[in-house]
Amino acid sequence: LQKSLSETFGADQYSRARKEVLTYMFSRPMQMALYFCTGVLEDETLFQHYALNVPFYTHFTSPIRRYADIIVHRLLSASLGARSPIMMEKEAIQKQADHCNDRKMASKRVQELSADLFFSIFVRVRP
């Protein structure tokens, strides 16, 4: 499979871009993670990570990357007693999470459309 993919990517100036687009398209069917405030949701099964088979799961990246990750870092630090509690109601936190999810989905959609356009051009010019 890797050999076949490498041949598809080619070795010209656009091979790296083709590799990124096609790799992205292969991973597109995976379910997108959503931000949410646990205090708002009553169904704890929504906190689990299906693939890892763990009942409670959170994920975040470097807080310099996304606002949502800054909030997660602050909430996690407060829950561990490393900082004072955040003075936000759970509904306000959920509102922020909803906004972050909306922006993330819009960004993903633009990325998908861009990949589709690039792939269409690739297929059209590829012998």
Side-chain angles (χ1 to χ4, degrees):
L1 181 61
Q2 182 62 36
K3 182 180 177 188
S4 175
L5 286 175
S6 294
E7 290 172 2
T8 302
F9 299 148
D12 62 6
Q13 63 185 3
Y14 301 110
S15 61
R16 183 173 179 203
R18 275 193 295 275
K19 179 180 179 182
E20 288 181 27
V21 169
L22 292 173
T23 302
Y24 168 76
M25 291 177 81
F26 297 147
S27 65
R28 186 186 298 182
M30 295 177 7
Q31 184 179 6
M32 190 168 81
L34 295 174
Y35 295 105
F36 61 90
C37 178
T38 57
V40 173
L41 301 178
E42 294 185 18
D43 183 2
E44 288 188 0
T45 62
L46 297 173
F47 306 165
Q48 68 187 7
H49 191 289
Y50 176 78
L52 297 177
N53 194 25
V54 293
F56 296 100
Y57 178 82
T58 189
H59 172 82
F60 50 89
T61 60
S62 169
I64 63 170
R65 292 187 57 204
R66 292 187 288 255
Y67 178 70
D69 296 314
I70 292 172
I71 297 297
V72 172
H73 273 249
R74 290 177 182 168
L75 290 168
L76 187 56
S77 292
S79 70
L80 295 173
R83 65 171 290 150
S84 58
I86 294 178
M87 296 301 152
M88 288 177 72
E89 296 292 324
K90 59 186 176 184
E91 291 78 12
I93 294 170
Q94 183 59 48
K95 186 175 179 181
Q96 289 292 321
D98 290 339
H99 178 72
C100 290
N101 289 331
D102 289 345
R103 297 295 83 216
K104 189 166 113 175
M105 283 189 239
S107 173
K108 182 174 175 58
R109 183 66 184 137
V110 169
Q111 184 180 14
E112 288 173 353
L113 291 170
S114 175
D116 289 348
L117 176 63
F118 185 89
F119 184 70
S120 298
I121 293 169
F122 168 69
V123 169
R124 182 182 220 184
V125 299
R126 189 84 174 170

